Amino acid sequence: MKILKKLILVALVLAWPVHGALAVAPNDLLVIANKSVAAEATDASEMRAVFLKNKTALGGDTVFPLNAKGDSDLRAAFRKRVLKMTDEKERGFWDDEKVRKGTEPPAEVPVTLKAVFSKAGAVSYVFRKDYKEGTVKILAAFPE
Amino acid sequence: MRSTIWVSAFLLATTLAPAFAHAEAESDGVRSAVPPAGATATAQTTSPESRLEALEKKVGSLQDENKELASQVSDLQESQSQANEPPSELGKMKIFGFFDMNFQKTYYSPSNSVLGAVLPMPTHSTFMATGLNVFLANQITERLKFLSELRFTYLPLGNETGTQTYVVLPNGSTMNLGTKYTRTDTTVTDPSAQIFRLGGVGIERLQLTYVFNDYLAVTAGHFLTPYGIWNVDHGSPVILMVHAPIFQTILMVPTQQTGIQLFGRVYLSQNLSLDYGGTISNGRGPEDSVIDLDDNKGLGLRWHLNYELDDFSIAMGQYGYTGQYTDISKAIYSGPGTADSSSSTTVTEQYTERILASDVLIKFFGIRLQGEAVLRRVKYDVPPPISPADFNGNPALAAQYNSASYDAHAYYGLLAYELPAWLTTSKIRLTPFVYFERFNLNDTFPSSANTSTIYSGGLNVKPCRGLVLKVEYDRFKGDDMVDVLPDGTRKTTNNGVGQIVTAQAAVTF
């Protein structure tokens, strides 16, 4: 009987992290920053401001937003979950900003994780399934 | 017990086997060079002390090797980082811009309305390519940016510089107000006898901006005055309508200034931000983008509050400006001797102006409600010169025309609605709009050109990226209160109504 109780206890303990893992889906969108950025957390409105170039610093550090390629699923997820814009709206916004302020959109990179890892002050986003532990800092997560 | 013996034997064998193998390998390497007596020496080196020494040496060499490998890994990581680093945009010159083409027809009622002569809108149906704006932008460093905007235009070709103006007196005679109709012709002939017409280039913006942080940035050069909505939106592809408000077109507020602009933004909460700024410039003058003709700088202050949610936003702000306009003439006097030579500068026109421009923009679920208002107060210190011939020597009329000071005001409201995507069943964005404007540009000299009301309506269509199509109807009516002669002999004039139908295609590239 004692052995059975122990087995149940062990099963429960093992089941706990499994339950936690169900909350983190592979297509969660992670906002990531180079380790040089001091900020530890951010939110959608702040990221929106950074990626629309209305804000240039996070936690006192100058940051450089890097976008995924315009036609990628990753970019589409960022538009939907953070910018709250359609593809067409985002393009229109930058066309207008060029006329208003001469400002261009953030640079696009093929692999955001590598680019953020390599560039001091860089901020971007990645799907959780593509995230590599220890490479960059996670500032926020937006579930699928 | 038996199993213990077997395990001990196994361990002994596995421990000694490499030693035997090592010894065999060493002996293989020295077999031809070392006499058999050397075998005794080899056996001697297998003593614990010598083995320990050999192992220490080996550990040392392994540590050195490890350091070397770590260094190589570091170098590789460095080179990999450089390979992964996003392509730098720094130092690259970017070229982009916009242009627009219009088709316009203006109707005046009655057809001989004063408005037809006063306003520059053509009375015949006209295709117009008004200009090409080309931007050159360079992000020199992460914080330093250069921007210029050049406007290529056919102007000054056809620019009307004067209208011959008469007043019909009660006795039937006409009085010329001292003006004549003039128009610029830029036609030239090159040495090969080819005739063509010159155009012009205007520098809309020429500025260098340094961003210290979000709270402070500085722009030096020739910049857009940070007032209102229309002036900030600036270009035809961004602006919803075809025709700009009158206060914009007649430069009631200086559209651009040459000097320094400080600006910044602070986030008061997650969704609320405050933009602020100040300008110091040459102010307004006949050549203010080149030279200031007085020491009184134009000063401006700006605040702008923005509250933004997903489907609702409200922004409001003000820009206050004060400055002095000065025009001068220069003369040189030469006497019989060098010592008698002198020069003088005379102020020919000078006034001080104070301006307050306010704006508000509310957007919710596709609805756009926008308004701007401008108040301007002008106080003349030196009124513009009038020759005795002007106004046929009528000093009363001249005095009225040259009112020492005046106030002006203008305001508009714009309501637009971007139809939802499900209504348009495509990616085409349709935005119908209605507009109302009222202005009085000189409260001491009301005329059809100075005091008018405008009603407009139209449709803004964005069929694809980079192209905006607009159709617009404008109806404007000058107030019938022209008090032409101070003696009361000519109190009112029917200035009629003007109507404009315009189609525009605006393109960004």
Side-chain angles (χ1 to χ4, degrees):
Chain A
M1 196 59 179
K2 272 188 175 179
I3 292 172
L4 186 64
K5 277 184 180 175
K6 279 183 182 175
L7 283 174
I8 291 170
L9 191 64
V10 168
L12 283 173
V13 169
L14 290 174
W16 184 259
V18 171
H19 173 75
L22 288 176
V24 286
N27 281 337
D28 285 352
L29 188 75
L30 306 180
V31 170
I32 54 174
N34 185 275
K35 286 184 173 177
S36 64
V37 177
E40 295 294 336
T42 185
D43 55 42
S45 64
E46 192 169 42
M47 273 302 99
R48 183 181 156 92
V50 167
F51 276 82
L52 298 183
K53 292 197 172 178
N54 288 323
K55 191 174 172 65
T56 63
L58 283 180
D61 290 324
T62 302
V63 292
F64 308 102
L66 296 173
N67 264 328
K69 290 289 183 188
D71 55 356
S72 65
D73 292 342
L74 180 60
R75 180 74 170 272
F78 184 71
R79 273 191 215 106
K80 186 179 175 186
R81 297 181 217 175
V82 178
L83 297 184
K84 308 277 197 301
M85 285 178 166
T86 61
D87 173 25
E88 179 199 353
K89 282 266 185 190
E90 190 196 6
R91 288 170 191 270
F93 172 84
W94 285 113
D95 283 346
D96 290 355
E97 282 295 281
K98 285 206 293 190
V99 173
R100 284 192 191 104
K101 303 176 188 170
T103 305
E104 292 210 285
E108 291 183 355
V109 292
V111 185
T112 55
L113 185 71
K114 282 185 181 177
V116 172
F117 168 73
S118 309
K119 184 174 171 59
V123 179
S124 190
Y125 40 86
V126 67
F127 284 130
R128 189 183 292 278
K129 64 187 177 190
D130 298 324
Y131 172 70
K132 302 280 187 301
E133 192 69 43
T135 51
V136 295
K137 184 184 280 190
I138 298 176
L139 299 183
F142 298 93
E144 188 175 10
Chain B
M1 188 63 182
R2 189 181 292 173
S3 62
T4 308
I5 292 169
W6 278 109
V7 168
S8 302
F10 175 75
L11 286 174
L12 190 64
T14 52
T15 309
L16 292 178
F20 283 122
H22 184 68
E24 191 179 345
E26 276 192 343
S27 62
D28 282 349
V30 295
R31 188 172 293 157
S32 58
V34 180
T40 309
T42 306
Q44 285 171 351
T45 58
T46 55
S47 66
E49 290 80 7
S50 58
R51 280 189 66 195
L52 185 62
E53 191 180 343
L55 284 171
E56 281 177 342
K57 279 183 184 171
K58 189 156 191 175
V59 167
S61 74
L62 283 172
Q63 281 177 334
D64 290 344
E65 195 178 340
N66 190 34
K67 278 183 188 171
E68 178 65 22
L69 284 171
S71 167
Q72 287 179 8
V73 167
S74 174
D75 290 347
L76 280 171
Q77 280 180 335
E78 179 76 16
S79 61
Q80 175 118 10
S81 290
Q82 285 166 2
N84 289 336
E85 190 148 343
S88 175
E89 299 294 306
L90 300 182
K92 290 181 181 171
M93 185 66 80
K94 301 287 181 66
I95 301 175
F96 47 91
F98 68 90
F99 64 92
D100 54 69
M101 298 165 290
N102 296 349
F103 178 75
Q104 183 172 301
K105 169 75 177 169
T106 306
Y107 304 89
Y108 293 106
S109 174
S111 58
N112 62 350
S113 162
V114 171
L115 291 173
V118 171
L119 299 176
M121 288 85 166
T123 52
H124 303 287
S125 59
T126 303
F127 289 100
M128 295 187 288
T130 53
L132 167 70
N133 287 43
V134 177
F135 291 68
L136 302 173
N138 191 334
Q139 189 74 44
I140 300 167
T141 70
E142 299 285 9
R143 296 181 182 279
L144 188 64
K145 181 182 175 183
F146 159 78
L147 174 69
S148 72
E149 180 185 353
L150 305 175
R151 181 172 179 81
F152 295 87
T153 168
Y154 297 106
L155 292 171
L157 175 68
N159 182 39
E160 291 184 344
T161 51
T163 304
Q164 197 159 347
T165 309
Y166 294 91
V167 171
V168 182
L169 298 174
N171 61 11
S173 64
T174 56
M175 180 176 78
N176 186 349
L177 294 184
T179 55
K180 64 176 184 177
Y181 177 69
T182 52
R183 187 179 61 205
T184 305
D185 183 6
T186 61
T187 306
V188 294
T189 307
D190 76 5
S192 63
Q194 177 69 46
I195 295 173
F196 68 100
R197 289 166 174 162
L198 296 174
V201 181
I203 302 176
E204 295 266 306
R205 279 183 267 193
L206 183 61
Q207 61 189 55
L208 195 62
T209 299
Y210 188 84
V211 179
F212 292 95
N213 49 46
D214 285 341
Y215 311 119
L216 181 64
V218 59
T219 289
H222 191 62
F223 52 83
L224 295 180
T225 300
Y227 89 90
I229 300 165
W230 222 286
N231 202 52
V232 172
D233 282 352
H234 178 62
S236 54
V238 182
I239 292 164
L240 200 66
M241 294 176 58
V242 176
H243 293 113
I246 292 295
F247 67 76
Q248 174 87 14
T249 55
I250 67 154
L251 312 181
M252 208 161 141
V253 186
T255 308
Q256 290 112 340
Q257 296 180 55
T258 303
I260 292 172
Q261 179 187 2
L262 299 169
F263 59 97
R265 167 176 287 200
V266 61
Y267 280 85
L268 304 174
S269 74
Q270 199 177 32
N271 303 103
L272 184 65
S273 64
L274 173 68
D275 291 342
Y276 47 84
T279 56
I280 176 167
S281 71
N282 287 340
R284 209 194 296 255
E287 48 181 343
D288 54 74
S289 56
V290 182
I291 290 173
D292 194 352
L293 296 177
D294 60 44
D295 286 324
N296 293 310
K297 296 299 167 211
L299 300 173
L301 281 176
R302 159 82 160 163
W303 67 268
H304 204 251
L305 207 55
N306 312 282
Y307 181 74
E308 197 168 350
L309 296 175
D310 287 348
D311 291 308
F312 173 81
S313 69
I314 180 167
M316 63 178 73
Q318 286 186 309
Y319 177 72
Y321 170 87
T322 181
Q324 187 174 55
Y325 175 98
T326 302
D327 198 0
I328 61 167
S329 68
K330 291 181 178 178
I332 295 174
Y333 300 92
S334 297
T338 309
D340 297 326
S341 297
S342 64
S343 67
S344 74
T345 300
T346 305
V347 174
T348 55
E349 184 177 355
Q350 189 170 65
Y351 64 81
T352 303
E353 60 179 332
R354 291 187 174 82
I355 300 169
L356 181 64
S358 308
D359 61 88
V360 62
L361 172 62
I362 301 169
K363 292 196 274 191
F364 56 101
F365 298 102
I367 294 174
R368 180 186 180 98
L369 188 57
Q370 167 180 334
E372 291 186 61
V374 177
L375 301 171
R376 180 175 182 231
R377 173 159 290 179
V378 174
K379 184 176 181 303
Y380 268 99
D381 301 314
V382 181
I386 295 177
S387 76
D390 287 344
F391 300 96
N392 270 3
N394 186 330
L397 188 59
Q400 180 184 3
Y401 180 73
N402 288 288
S403 166
S405 304
Y406 63 87
D407 288 352
H409 69 264
Y411 53 88
Y412 78 82
L414 169 67
L415 175 64
Y417 178 55
E418 184 182 323
L419 299 180
W422 60 266
L423 254 180
T424 58
T425 64
S426 71
K427 287 194 169 182
I428 297 174
R429 287 161 62 188
L430 299 174
T431 309
F433 58 84
V434 290
Y435 174 88
F436 167 81
E437 182 181 358
R438 172 81 185 156
F439 58 86
N440 183 343
L441 305 182
N442 184 335
D443 65 342
T444 65
F445 189 69
S447 76
S448 57
N450 281 341
T451 312
S452 294
T453 305
I454 300 174
Y455 300 93
S456 304
L459 181 66
N460 180 300
V461 183
K462 293 186 176 175
C464 61
R465 187 185 176 197
L467 175 65
V468 182
L469 304 173
K470 308 173 195 176
V471 286
E472 183 174 312
Y473 166 78
D474 305 281
R475 181 185 190 277
F476 54 93
K477 185 177 187 317
D479 289 4
D480 295 336
M481 43 188 283
V482 179
D483 190 7
V484 179
L485 294 178
D487 60 7
T489 53
R490 186 107 182 144
K491 286 296 283 185
T492 60
T493 301
N494 177 14
N495 290 295
V497 173
Q499 298 176 84
I500 309 173
V501 179
T502 313
Q504 182 183 75
V507 178
T508 49
F509 60 88

